[in-house]
Amino acid sequence: RGKLKADKGDDLLALYDKLFVACNDALDSVRLELRETKKREQSAKSGAAEASLLTLQAALLWQKLHHTARRNLLLLGRLREGKGPAGSRKRATPEDLVRLYDAVLATLDEMRSLHGYKENEALMGQLAARSAVAKAHRCYWVAESYGAVSKWREAEALYERAAALLSEAEALLDDDAAQGGAADELGAPSADCGGFGQGEDAAALAALAEAVEGAKARARARAYLASLEAAGEAPAEADGAGGPLPLLQRLDRFDAKPDEPLYEFPPRLEPVPCKPLLFDIARNQITYPDLGPRLQQQKGSTWGSWFSR
């Protein structure tokens, strides 16, 4: 079995693309041969040939899914380092990482359902351990997406869930190590396996555990500050006033301190409407003069009004 080596991530991704093309061609050839075998007369020889082709098809699918997951893990590593795809300047968001981890989990679930492999308990145990690792990473990045929009309570709960998934993943990895592992049967026994090796999974868990602890403390502090601001009890450094709040603005909290400010002087300027409502309704209270006598006087002097035209 040959190894594909590349110094740059982009070259390795291009090699993966070539590998997937070769896998698809091989699968197409096997499926065509299976259809031809089913058209022939049933015999012991044809039955054995069909069973061999089905085994070969399952092995090819296993290798394709295995390398698909490795490619997605390689992309995740590059995105975490701030390196996007070739020719792309857009920085990855936590949502992008969550979608890639969803793809990894879907690939691992599909590997579990392959005939000829799902009966192997060692393989299924290792896939369960690696699925737990991917779930822990996914939960961490979901929490990061909530933190990006200042939803710190939700982020703190998700960090707690990520810590619980980490413990579950560590237990599954220990069980797999006690059973001797199944790296040879997975087809990736070497250390250069894109996150699918025993050592790389343990290293990823250690780094994630450290990141989760720090993020959990940060989210708890941000959530506490947000609760203080919502209750109007933000500390002096956060209210932007340059000093403690006056007593009249915090009647529900009294701090017995020397030189306790009672009220703010001079008071802050407050905006008022440029045209008060009083001016709009004042005309309803105006009593207009009676102009009736003047109108009657004008009607009585007909000739004067005629010559005055």
Side-chain angles (χ1 to χ4, degrees), residues 10-47:
D10 294 335
D11 296 337
L12 188 56
L13 291 175
L15 290 175
Y16 271 123
D17 292 338
K18 294 180 180 180
L19 178 62
F20 294 145
V21 171
C23 286
N24 290 332
D25 292 342
L27 284 170
D28 291 339
S29 299
V30 172
R31 292 188 183 107
L32 179 61
E33 188 65 26
L34 272 173
R35 286 195 294 267
E36 294 295 332
T37 303
K38 291 179 180 179
K39 292 179 181 179
R40 301 170 189 166
E41 295 182 1
Q42 295 294 329
S43 62
K45 186 176 181 180
S46 63

PDB file of all heavy atoms in Angstrom, residues 10-47:
ATOM      1  N   ASP A  10      -2.525  22.322   0.512  1.00  0.00           N
ATOM      2  CA  ASP A  10      -3.241  22.402  -0.766  1.00  0.00           C
ATOM      3  C   ASP A  10      -2.867  21.233  -1.668  1.00  0.00           C
ATOM      4  O   ASP A  10      -3.722  20.674  -2.364  1.00  0.00           O
ATOM      5  CB  ASP A  10      -2.926  23.730  -1.459  1.00  0.00           C
ATOM      6  CG  ASP A  10      -3.469  24.921  -0.682  1.00  0.00           C
ATOM      7  OD1 ASP A  10      -4.442  24.719   0.079  1.00  0.00           O
ATOM      8  OD2 ASP A  10      -2.925  26.028  -0.825  1.00  0.00           O
ATOM      9  N   ASP A  11      -1.571  20.852  -1.680  1.00  0.00           N
ATOM     10  CA  ASP A  11      -1.152  19.698  -2.478  1.00  0.00           C
ATOM     11  C   ASP A  11      -1.801  18.423  -1.959  1.00  0.00           C
ATOM     12  O   ASP A  11      -2.217  17.556  -2.740  1.00  0.00           O
ATOM     13  CB  ASP A  11       0.365  19.562  -2.444  1.00  0.00           C
ATOM     14  CG  ASP A  11       1.062  20.759  -3.083  1.00  0.00           C
ATOM     15  OD1 ASP A  11       0.401  21.436  -3.898  1.00  0.00           O
ATOM     16  OD2 ASP A  11       2.226  21.022  -2.754  1.00  0.00           O
ATOM     17  N   LEU A  12      -1.918  18.309  -0.634  1.00  0.00           N
ATOM     18  CA  LEU A  12      -2.537  17.116  -0.065  1.00  0.00           C
ATOM     19  C   LEU A  12      -4.026  17.056  -0.396  1.00  0.00           C
ATOM     20  O   LEU A  12      -4.564  15.982  -0.686  1.00  0.00           O
ATOM     21  CB  LEU A  12      -2.333  17.108   1.454  1.00  0.00           C
ATOM     22  CG  LEU A  12      -2.743  15.837   2.192  1.00  0.00           C
ATOM     23  CD1 LEU A  12      -2.018  14.627   1.618  1.00  0.00           C
ATOM     24  CD2 LEU A  12      -2.448  15.964   3.677  1.00  0.00           C
ATOM     25  N   LEU A  13      -4.696  18.193  -0.389  1.00  0.00           N
ATOM     26  CA  LEU A  13      -6.108  18.224  -0.768  1.00  0.00           C
ATOM     27  C   LEU A  13      -6.281  17.843  -2.236  1.00  0.00           C
ATOM     28  O   LEU A  13      -7.240  17.139  -2.596  1.00  0.00           O
ATOM     29  CB  LEU A  13      -6.690  19.614  -0.510  1.00  0.00           C
ATOM     30  CG  LEU A  13      -6.832  20.020   0.952  1.00  0.00           C
ATOM     31  CD1 LEU A  13      -7.316  21.461   1.065  1.00  0.00           C
ATOM     32  CD2 LEU A  13      -7.800  19.094   1.675  1.00  0.00           C
ATOM     33  N   ALA A  14      -5.367  18.291  -3.088  1.00  0.00           N
ATOM     34  CA  ALA A  14      -5.441  17.913  -4.504  1.00  0.00           C
ATOM     35  C   ALA A  14      -5.226  16.411  -4.672  1.00  0.00           C
ATOM     36  O   ALA A  14      -5.886  15.759  -5.506  1.00  0.00           O
ATOM     37  CB  ALA A  14      -4.402  18.699  -5.301  1.00  0.00           C
ATOM     38  N   LEU A  15      -4.320  15.837  -3.879  1.00  0.00           N
ATOM     39  CA  LEU A  15      -4.114  14.386  -3.939  1.00  0.00           C
ATOM     40  C   LEU A  15      -5.349  13.630  -3.460  1.00  0.00           C
ATOM     41  O   LEU A  15      -5.672  12.561  -3.994  1.00  0.00           O
ATOM     42  CB  LEU A  15      -2.892  14.009  -3.100  1.00  0.00           C
ATOM     43  CG  LEU A  15      -1.526  14.433  -3.655  1.00  0.00           C
ATOM     44  CD1 LEU A  15      -0.415  14.102  -2.672  1.00  0.00           C
ATOM     45  CD2 LEU A  15      -1.260  13.785  -4.995  1.00  0.00           C
ATOM     46  N   TYR A  16      -6.012  14.162  -2.454  1.00  0.00           N
ATOM     47  CA  TYR A  16      -7.260  13.539  -2.010  1.00  0.00           C
ATOM     48  C   TYR A  16      -8.303  13.542  -3.125  1.00  0.00           C
ATOM     49  O   TYR A  16      -9.044  12.569  -3.305  1.00  0.00           O
ATOM     50  CB  TYR A  16      -7.803  14.260  -0.777  1.00  0.00           C
ATOM     51  CG  TYR A  16      -7.285  13.722   0.528  1.00  0.00           C
ATOM     52  CD1 TYR A  16      -6.623  14.540   1.434  1.00  0.00           C
ATOM     53  CD2 TYR A  16      -7.446  12.380   0.867  1.00  0.00           C
ATOM     54  CE1 TYR A  16      -6.145  14.051   2.641  1.00  0.00           C
ATOM     55  CE2 TYR A  16      -6.973  11.876   2.063  1.00  0.00           C
ATOM     56  CZ  TYR A  16      -6.317  12.719   2.946  1.00  0.00           C
ATOM     57  OH  TYR A  16      -5.841  12.217   4.129  1.00  0.00           O
ATOM     58  N   ASP A  17      -8.391  14.645  -3.852  1.00  0.00           N
ATOM     59  CA  ASP A  17      -9.346  14.703  -4.961  1.00  0.00           C
ATOM     60  C   ASP A  17      -9.036  13.623  -6.000  1.00  0.00           C
ATOM     61  O   ASP A  17      -9.956  12.956  -6.512  1.00  0.00           O
ATOM     62  CB  ASP A  17      -9.303  16.089  -5.603  1.00  0.00           C
ATOM     63  CG  ASP A  17      -9.833  17.173  -4.679  1.00  0.00           C
ATOM     64  OD1 ASP A  17     -10.603  16.831  -3.758  1.00  0.00           O
ATOM     65  OD2 ASP A  17      -9.482  18.357  -4.873  1.00  0.00           O
ATOM     66  N   LYS A  18      -7.755  13.435  -6.304  1.00  0.00           N
ATOM     67  CA  LYS A  18      -7.388  12.384  -7.258  1.00  0.00           C
ATOM     68  C   LYS A  18      -7.714  11.002  -6.700  1.00  0.00           C
ATOM     69  O   LYS A  18      -8.149  10.105  -7.436  1.00  0.00           O
ATOM     70  CB  LYS A  18      -5.898  12.487  -7.582  1.00  0.00           C
ATOM     71  CG  LYS A  18      -5.516  13.751  -8.336  1.00  0.00           C
ATOM     72  CD  LYS A  18      -4.021  13.787  -8.620  1.00  0.00           C
ATOM     73  CE  LYS A  18      -3.636  15.057  -9.367  1.00  0.00           C
ATOM     74  NZ  LYS A  18      -2.178  15.113  -9.647  1.00  0.00           N
ATOM     75  N   LEU A  19      -7.504  10.847  -5.388  1.00  0.00           N
ATOM     76  CA  LEU A  19      -7.811   9.561  -4.759  1.00  0.00           C
ATOM     77  C   LEU A  19      -9.301   9.258  -4.835  1.00  0.00           C
ATOM     78  O   LEU A  19      -9.705   8.109  -5.114  1.00  0.00           O
ATOM     79  CB  LEU A  19      -7.346   9.579  -3.310  1.00  0.00           C
ATOM     80  CG  LEU A  19      -7.637   8.330  -2.478  1.00  0.00           C
ATOM     81  CD1 LEU A  19      -6.937   7.111  -3.054  1.00  0.00           C
ATOM     82  CD2 LEU A  19      -7.210   8.541  -1.024  1.00  0.00           C
ATOM     83  N   PHE A  20     -10.156  10.257  -4.629  1.00  0.00           N
ATOM     84  CA  PHE A  20     -11.596  10.036  -4.685  1.00  0.00           C
ATOM     85  C   PHE A  20     -12.046   9.711  -6.105  1.00  0.00           C
ATOM     86  O   PHE A  20     -12.964   8.904  -6.306  1.00  0.00           O
ATOM     87  CB  PHE A  20     -12.333  11.259  -4.160  1.00  0.00           C
ATOM     88  CG  PHE A  20     -12.103  11.516  -2.692  1.00  0.00           C
ATOM     89  CD1 PHE A  20     -12.040  12.808  -2.193  1.00  0.00           C
ATOM     90  CD2 PHE A  20     -11.930  10.462  -1.806  1.00  0.00           C
ATOM     91  CE1 PHE A  20     -11.822  13.039  -0.854  1.00  0.00           C
ATOM     92  CE2 PHE A  20     -11.711  10.680  -0.464  1.00  0.00           C
ATOM     93  CZ  PHE A  20     -11.659  11.976   0.020  1.00  0.00           C
ATOM     94  N   VAL A  21     -11.410  10.324  -7.089  1.00  0.00           N
ATOM     95  CA  VAL A  21     -11.734   9.986  -8.486  1.00  0.00           C
ATOM     96  C   VAL A  21     -11.386   8.525  -8.762  1.00  0.00           C
ATOM     97  O   VAL A  21     -12.170   7.783  -9.396  1.00  0.00           O
ATOM     98  CB  VAL A  21     -10.984  10.931  -9.440  1.00  0.00           C
ATOM     99  CG1 VAL A  21     -11.139  10.454 -10.881  1.00  0.00           C
ATOM    100  CG2 VAL A  21     -11.515  12.358  -9.314  1.00  0.00           C
ATOM    101  N   ALA A  22     -10.219   8.089  -8.288  1.00  0.00           N
ATOM    102  CA  ALA A  22      -9.828   6.684  -8.494  1.00  0.00           C
ATOM    103  C   ALA A  22     -10.772   5.738  -7.757  1.00  0.00           C
ATOM    104  O   ALA A  22     -11.141   4.674  -8.286  1.00  0.00           O
ATOM    105  CB  ALA A  22      -8.387   6.497  -8.010  1.00  0.00           C
ATOM    106  N   CYS A  23     -11.192   6.112  -6.527  1.00  0.00           N
ATOM    107  CA  CYS A  23     -12.142   5.272  -5.790  1.00  0.00           C
ATOM    108  C   CYS A  23     -13.477   5.166  -6.515  1.00  0.00           C
ATOM    109  O   CYS A  23     -14.070   4.079  -6.584  1.00  0.00           O
ATOM    110  CB  CYS A  23     -12.346   5.830  -4.393  1.00  0.00           C
ATOM    111  SG  CYS A  23     -10.963   5.544  -3.252  1.00  0.00           S
ATOM    112  N   ASN A  24     -13.954   6.270  -7.037  1.00  0.00           N
ATOM    113  CA  ASN A  24     -15.221   6.238  -7.766  1.00  0.00           C
ATOM    114  C   ASN A  24     -15.123   5.377  -9.026  1.00  0.00           C
ATOM    115  O   ASN A  24     -16.064   4.629  -9.351  1.00  0.00           O
ATOM    116  CB  ASN A  24     -15.645   7.658  -8.132  1.00  0.00           C
ATOM    117  CG  ASN A  24     -16.060   8.470  -6.923  1.00  0.00           C
ATOM    118  OD1 ASN A  24     -16.527   7.922  -5.930  1.00  0.00           O
ATOM    119  ND2 ASN A  24     -15.891   9.777  -6.989  1.00  0.00           N
ATOM    120  N   ASP A  25     -13.992   5.466  -9.735  1.00  0.00           N
ATOM    121  CA  ASP A  25     -13.817   4.619 -10.919  1.00  0.00           C
ATOM    122  C   ASP A  25     -13.800   3.140 -10.538  1.00  0.00           C
ATOM    123  O   ASP A  25     -14.414   2.296 -11.218  1.00  0.00           O
ATOM    124  CB  ASP A  25     -12.513   4.994 -11.630  1.00  0.00           C
ATOM    125  CG  ASP A  25     -12.581   6.383 -12.251  1.00  0.00           C
ATOM    126  OD1 ASP A  25     -13.715   6.892 -12.437  1.00  0.00           O
ATOM    127  OD2 ASP A  25     -11.517   6.968 -12.530  1.00  0.00           O
ATOM    128  N   ALA A  26     -13.102   2.818  -9.445  1.00  0.00           N
ATOM    129  CA  ALA A  26     -13.053   1.416  -9.011  1.00  0.00           C
ATOM    130  C   ALA A  26     -14.429   0.930  -8.583  1.00  0.00           C
ATOM    131  O   ALA A  26     -14.828  -0.212  -8.902  1.00  0.00           O
ATOM    132  CB  ALA A  26     -12.053   1.274  -7.863  1.00  0.00           C
ATOM    133  N   LEU A  27     -15.191   1.766  -7.874  1.00  0.00           N
ATOM    134  CA  LEU A  27     -16.543   1.375  -7.459  1.00  0.00           C
ATOM    135  C   LEU A  27     -17.455   1.182  -8.653  1.00  0.00           C
ATOM    136  O   LEU A  27     -18.280   0.244  -8.678  1.00  0.00           O
ATOM    137  CB  LEU A  27     -17.110   2.429  -6.508  1.00  0.00           C
ATOM    138  CG  LEU A  27     -16.565   2.412  -5.080  1.00  0.00           C
ATOM    139  CD1 LEU A  27     -17.028   3.644  -4.320  1.00  0.00           C
ATOM    140  CD2 LEU A  27     -17.008   1.151  -4.354  1.00  0.00           C
ATOM    141  N   ASP A  28     -17.331   2.033  -9.650  1.00  0.00           N
ATOM    142  CA  ASP A  28     -18.148   1.868 -10.863  1.00  0.00           C
ATOM    143  C   ASP A  28     -17.825   0.551 -11.558  1.00  0.00           C
ATOM    144  O   ASP A  28     -18.731  -0.159 -12.040  1.00  0.00           O
ATOM    145  CB  ASP A  28     -17.918   3.042 -11.818  1.00  0.00           C
ATOM    146  CG  ASP A  28     -18.494   4.344 -11.276  1.00  0.00           C
ATOM    147  OD1 ASP A  28     -19.395   4.271 -10.406  1.00  0.00           O
ATOM    148  OD2 ASP A  28     -18.057   5.421 -11.719  1.00  0.00           O
ATOM    149  N   SER A  29     -16.548   0.200 -11.600  1.00  0.00           N
ATOM    150  CA  SER A  29     -16.160  -1.067 -12.236  1.00  0.00           C
ATOM    151  C   SER A  29     -16.709  -2.264 -11.458  1.00  0.00           C
ATOM    152  O   SER A  29     -17.213  -3.234 -12.053  1.00  0.00           O
ATOM    153  CB  SER A  29     -14.630  -1.152 -12.322  1.00  0.00           C
ATOM    154  OG  SER A  29     -14.108  -0.094 -13.099  1.00  0.00           O
ATOM    155  N   VAL A  30     -16.649  -2.195 -10.151  1.00  0.00           N
ATOM    156  CA  VAL A  30     -17.158  -3.301  -9.332  1.00  0.00           C
ATOM    157  C   VAL A  30     -18.672  -3.421  -9.485  1.00  0.00           C
ATOM    158  O   VAL A  30     -19.220  -4.530  -9.595  1.00  0.00           O
ATOM    159  CB  VAL A  30     -16.765  -3.090  -7.862  1.00  0.00           C
ATOM    160  CG1 VAL A  30     -17.449  -4.124  -6.967  1.00  0.00           C
ATOM    161  CG2 VAL A  30     -15.251  -3.203  -7.699  1.00  0.00           C
ATOM    162  N   ARG A  31     -19.385  -2.301  -9.489  1.00  0.00           N
ATOM    163  CA  ARG A  31     -20.844  -2.357  -9.647  1.00  0.00           C
ATOM    164  C   ARG A  31     -21.228  -2.909 -11.012  1.00  0.00           C
ATOM    165  O   ARG A  31     -22.197  -3.676 -11.145  1.00  0.00           O
ATOM    166  CB  ARG A  31     -21.427  -0.956  -9.454  1.00  0.00           C
ATOM    167  CG  ARG A  31     -21.298  -0.431  -8.016  1.00  0.00           C
ATOM    168  CD  ARG A  31     -22.057   0.865  -7.845  1.00  0.00           C
ATOM    169  NE  ARG A  31     -21.889   1.415  -6.507  1.00  0.00           N
ATOM    170  CZ  ARG A  31     -21.153   2.483  -6.212  1.00  0.00           C
ATOM    171  NH1 ARG A  31     -20.515   3.128  -7.199  1.00  0.00           N
ATOM    172  NH2 ARG A  31     -21.044   2.925  -4.969  1.00  0.00           N
ATOM    173  N   LEU A  32     -20.478  -2.535 -12.048  1.00  0.00           N
ATOM    174  CA  LEU A  32     -20.757  -3.078 -13.385  1.00  0.00           C
ATOM    175  C   LEU A  32     -20.524  -4.583 -13.416  1.00  0.00           C
ATOM    176  O   LEU A  32     -21.331  -5.337 -13.991  1.00  0.00           O
ATOM    177  CB  LEU A  32     -19.861  -2.364 -14.405  1.00  0.00           C
ATOM    178  CG  LEU A  32     -20.003  -2.824 -15.850  1.00  0.00           C
ATOM    179  CD1 LEU A  32     -21.433  -2.602 -16.356  1.00  0.00           C
ATOM    180  CD2 LEU A  32     -19.011  -2.102 -16.751  1.00  0.00           C
ATOM    181  N   GLU A  33     -19.459  -5.030 -12.778  1.00  0.00           N
ATOM    182  CA  GLU A  33     -19.181  -6.466 -12.751  1.00  0.00           C
ATOM    183  C   GLU A  33     -20.251  -7.211 -11.947  1.00  0.00           C
ATOM    184  O   GLU A  33     -20.634  -8.342 -12.290  1.00  0.00           O
ATOM    185  CB  GLU A  33     -17.800  -6.686 -12.135  1.00  0.00           C
ATOM    186  CG  GLU A  33     -17.300  -8.116 -12.220  1.00  0.00           C
ATOM    187  CD  GLU A  33     -17.058  -8.573 -13.648  1.00  0.00           C
ATOM    188  OE1 GLU A  33     -16.801  -7.687 -14.499  1.00  0.00           O
ATOM    189  OE2 GLU A  33     -17.141  -9.785 -13.904  1.00  0.00           O
ATOM    190  N   LEU A  34     -20.765  -6.569 -10.878  1.00  0.00           N
ATOM    191  CA  LEU A  34     -21.841  -7.194 -10.112  1.00  0.00           C
ATOM    192  C   LEU A  34     -23.099  -7.363 -10.943  1.00  0.00           C
ATOM    193  O   LEU A  34     -23.777  -8.411 -10.880  1.00  0.00           O
ATOM    194  CB  LEU A  34     -22.139  -6.353  -8.870  1.00  0.00           C
ATOM    195  CG  LEU A  34     -21.323  -6.655  -7.610  1.00  0.00           C
ATOM    196  CD1 LEU A  34     -21.622  -5.625  -6.528  1.00  0.00           C
ATOM    197  CD2 LEU A  34     -21.632  -8.065  -7.103  1.00  0.00           C
ATOM    198  N   ARG A  35     -23.444  -6.363 -11.736  1.00  0.00           N
ATOM    199  CA  ARG A  35     -24.633  -6.481 -12.591  1.00  0.00           C
ATOM    200  C   ARG A  35     -24.455  -7.576 -13.631  1.00  0.00           C
ATOM    201  O   ARG A  35     -25.402  -8.328 -13.926  1.00  0.00           O
ATOM    202  CB  ARG A  35     -24.899  -5.135 -13.266  1.00  0.00           C
ATOM    203  CG  ARG A  35     -25.469  -4.084 -12.327  1.00  0.00           C
ATOM    204  CD  ARG A  35     -26.040  -2.912 -13.107  1.00  0.00           C
ATOM    205  NE  ARG A  35     -24.998  -2.190 -13.821  1.00  0.00           N
ATOM    206  CZ  ARG A  35     -24.348  -1.125 -13.342  1.00  0.00           C
ATOM    207  NH1 ARG A  35     -24.617  -0.684 -12.117  1.00  0.00           N
ATOM    208  NH2 ARG A  35     -23.429  -0.524 -14.062  1.00  0.00           N
ATOM    209  N   GLU A  36     -23.249  -7.675 -14.170  1.00  0.00           N
ATOM    210  CA  GLU A  36     -23.010  -8.730 -15.152  1.00  0.00           C
ATOM    211  C   GLU A  36     -23.074 -10.116 -14.511  1.00  0.00           C
ATOM    212  O   GLU A  36     -23.573 -11.075 -15.108  1.00  0.00           O
ATOM    213  CB  GLU A  36     -21.641  -8.522 -15.806  1.00  0.00           C
ATOM    214  CG  GLU A  36     -21.534  -7.265 -16.651  1.00  0.00           C
ATOM    215  CD  GLU A  36     -22.451  -7.301 -17.862  1.00  0.00           C
ATOM    216  OE1 GLU A  36     -22.738  -8.412 -18.343  1.00  0.00           O
ATOM    217  OE2 GLU A  36     -22.875  -6.222 -18.308  1.00  0.00           O
ATOM    218  N   THR A  37     -22.590 -10.199 -13.265  1.00  0.00           N
ATOM    219  CA  THR A  37     -22.613 -11.498 -12.571  1.00  0.00           C
ATOM    220  C   THR A  37     -24.043 -11.927 -12.273  1.00  0.00           C
ATOM    221  O   THR A  37     -24.379 -13.124 -12.370  1.00  0.00           O
ATOM    222  CB  THR A  37     -21.795 -11.406 -11.271  1.00  0.00           C
ATOM    223  OG1 THR A  37     -20.463 -10.995 -11.571  1.00  0.00           O
ATOM    224  CG2 THR A  37     -21.760 -12.754 -10.562  1.00  0.00           C
ATOM    225  N   LYS A  38     -24.898 -10.991 -11.899  1.00  0.00           N
ATOM    226  CA  LYS A  38     -26.291 -11.330 -11.577  1.00  0.00           C
ATOM    227  C   LYS A  38     -27.070 -11.766 -12.812  1.00  0.00           C
ATOM    228  O   LYS A  38     -28.063 -12.493 -12.702  1.00  0.00           O
ATOM    229  CB  LYS A  38     -26.976 -10.140 -10.920  1.00  0.00           C
ATOM    230  CG  LYS A  38     -26.443  -9.835  -9.518  1.00  0.00           C
ATOM    231  CD  LYS A  38     -27.145  -8.634  -8.914  1.00  0.00           C
ATOM    232  CE  LYS A  38     -26.606  -8.346  -7.518  1.00  0.00           C
ATOM    233  NZ  LYS A  38     -27.266  -7.160  -6.899  1.00  0.00           N
ATOM    234  N   LYS A  39     -26.651 -11.345 -13.994  1.00  0.00           N
ATOM    235  CA  LYS A  39     -27.346 -11.732 -15.221  1.00  0.00           C
ATOM    236  C   LYS A  39     -27.026 -13.161 -15.636  1.00  0.00           C
ATOM    237  O   LYS A  39     -27.765 -13.774 -16.403  1.00  0.00           O
ATOM    238  CB  LYS A  39     -26.978 -10.769 -16.354  1.00  0.00           C
ATOM    239  CG  LYS A  39     -27.523  -9.355 -16.166  1.00  0.00           C
ATOM    240  CD  LYS A  39     -27.098  -8.457 -17.319  1.00  0.00           C
ATOM    241  CE  LYS A  39     -27.606  -7.029 -17.130  1.00  0.00           C
ATOM    242  NZ  LYS A  39     -27.164  -6.154 -18.239  1.00  0.00           N
ATOM    243  N   ARG A  40     -25.892 -13.668 -15.158  1.00  0.00           N
ATOM    244  CA  ARG A  40     -25.503 -15.022 -15.540  1.00  0.00           C
ATOM    245  C   ARG A  40     -26.311 -16.064 -14.761  1.00  0.00           C
ATOM    246  O   ARG A  40     -27.026 -15.749 -13.824  1.00  0.00           O
ATOM    247  CB  ARG A  40     -24.005 -15.239 -15.273  1.00  0.00           C
ATOM    248  CG  ARG A  40     -23.105 -14.268 -16.038  1.00  0.00           C
ATOM    249  CD  ARG A  40     -21.689 -14.366 -15.551  1.00  0.00           C
ATOM    250  NE  ARG A  40     -20.850 -13.311 -16.120  1.00  0.00           N
ATOM    251  CZ  ARG A  40     -19.642 -12.992 -15.663  1.00  0.00           C
ATOM    252  NH1 ARG A  40     -19.147 -13.666 -14.606  1.00  0.00           N
ATOM    253  NH2 ARG A  40     -18.947 -12.028 -16.241  1.00  0.00           N
ATOM    254  N   GLU A  41     -26.176 -17.291 -15.193  1.00  0.00           N
ATOM    255  CA  GLU A  41     -26.892 -18.369 -14.520  1.00  0.00           C
ATOM    256  C   GLU A  41     -26.320 -18.572 -13.120  1.00  0.00           C
ATOM    257  O   GLU A  41     -25.109 -18.492 -12.906  1.00  0.00           O
ATOM    258  CB  GLU A  41     -26.767 -19.673 -15.324  1.00  0.00           C
ATOM    259  CG  GLU A  41     -27.449 -19.596 -16.687  1.00  0.00           C
ATOM    260  CD  GLU A  41     -27.342 -20.925 -17.414  1.00  0.00           C
ATOM    261  OE1 GLU A  41     -26.751 -21.862 -16.830  1.00  0.00           O
ATOM    262  OE2 GLU A  41     -27.854 -21.014 -18.531  1.00  0.00           O
ATOM    263  N   GLN A  42     -27.231 -18.839 -12.184  1.00  0.00           N
ATOM    264  CA  GLN A  42     -26.806 -19.029 -10.800  1.00  0.00           C
ATOM    265  C   GLN A  42     -26.101 -20.370 -10.653  1.00  0.00           C
ATOM    266  O   GLN A  42     -26.600 -21.409 -11.070  1.00  0.00           O
ATOM    267  CB  GLN A  42     -28.019 -18.968  -9.864  1.00  0.00           C
ATOM    268  CG  GLN A  42     -28.685 -17.607  -9.826  1.00  0.00           C
ATOM    269  CD  GLN A  42     -27.779 -16.549  -9.218  1.00  0.00           C
ATOM    270  OE1 GLN A  42     -26.962 -16.856  -8.344  1.00  0.00           O
ATOM    271  NE2 GLN A  42     -27.907 -15.316  -9.682  1.00  0.00           N
ATOM    272  N   SER A  43     -24.916 -20.306 -10.059  1.00  0.00           N
ATOM    273  CA  SER A  43     -24.142 -21.521  -9.797  1.00  0.00           C
ATOM    274  C   SER A  43     -23.255 -21.249  -8.578  1.00  0.00           C
ATOM    275  O   SER A  43     -23.195 -20.132  -8.068  1.00  0.00           O
ATOM    276  CB  SER A  43     -23.295 -21.922 -11.013  1.00  0.00           C
ATOM    277  OG  SER A  43     -22.353 -20.903 -11.303  1.00  0.00           O
ATOM    278  N   ALA A  44     -22.605 -22.268  -8.124  1.00  0.00           N
ATOM    279  CA  ALA A  44     -21.724 -22.100  -6.961  1.00  0.00           C
ATOM    280  C   ALA A  44     -20.582 -21.149  -7.286  1.00  0.00           C
ATOM    281  O   ALA A  44     -20.171 -20.322  -6.456  1.00  0.00           O
ATOM    282  CB  ALA A  44     -21.184 -23.456  -6.517  1.00  0.00           C
ATOM    283  N   LYS A  45     -20.080 -21.232  -8.515  1.00  0.00           N
ATOM    284  CA  LYS A  45     -18.974 -20.373  -8.916  1.00  0.00           C
ATOM    285  C   LYS A  45     -19.412 -18.921  -9.008  1.00  0.00           C
ATOM    286  O   LYS A  45     -18.710 -18.012  -8.545  1.00  0.00           O
ATOM    287  CB  LYS A  45     -18.423 -20.865 -10.252  1.00  0.00           C
ATOM    288  CG  LYS A  45     -17.168 -20.127 -10.684  1.00  0.00           C
ATOM    289  CD  LYS A  45     -16.612 -20.724 -11.969  1.00  0.00           C
ATOM    290  CE  LYS A  45     -15.333 -19.989 -12.385  1.00  0.00           C
ATOM    291  NZ  LYS A  45     -14.765 -20.563 -13.634  1.00  0.00           N
ATOM    292  N   SER A  46     -20.605 -18.686  -9.602  1.00  0.00           N
ATOM    293  CA  SER A  46     -21.101 -17.312  -9.719  1.00  0.00           C
ATOM    294  C   SER A  46     -21.451 -16.740  -8.350  1.00  0.00           C
ATOM    295  O   SER A  46     -21.254 -15.544  -8.088  1.00  0.00           O
ATOM    296  CB  SER A  46     -22.322 -17.272 -10.637  1.00  0.00           C
ATOM    297  OG  SER A  46     -23.384 -18.039 -10.086  1.00  0.00           O
ATOM    298  N   GLY A  47     -21.962 -17.588  -7.448  1.00  0.00           N
ATOM    299  CA  GLY A  47     -22.269 -17.111  -6.092  1.00  0.00           C
ATOM    300  C   GLY A  47     -21.019 -16.688  -5.347  1.00  0.00           C
ATOM    301  O   GLY A  47     -21.012 -15.674  -4.635  1.00  0.00           O
TER     302      GLY A  47
END
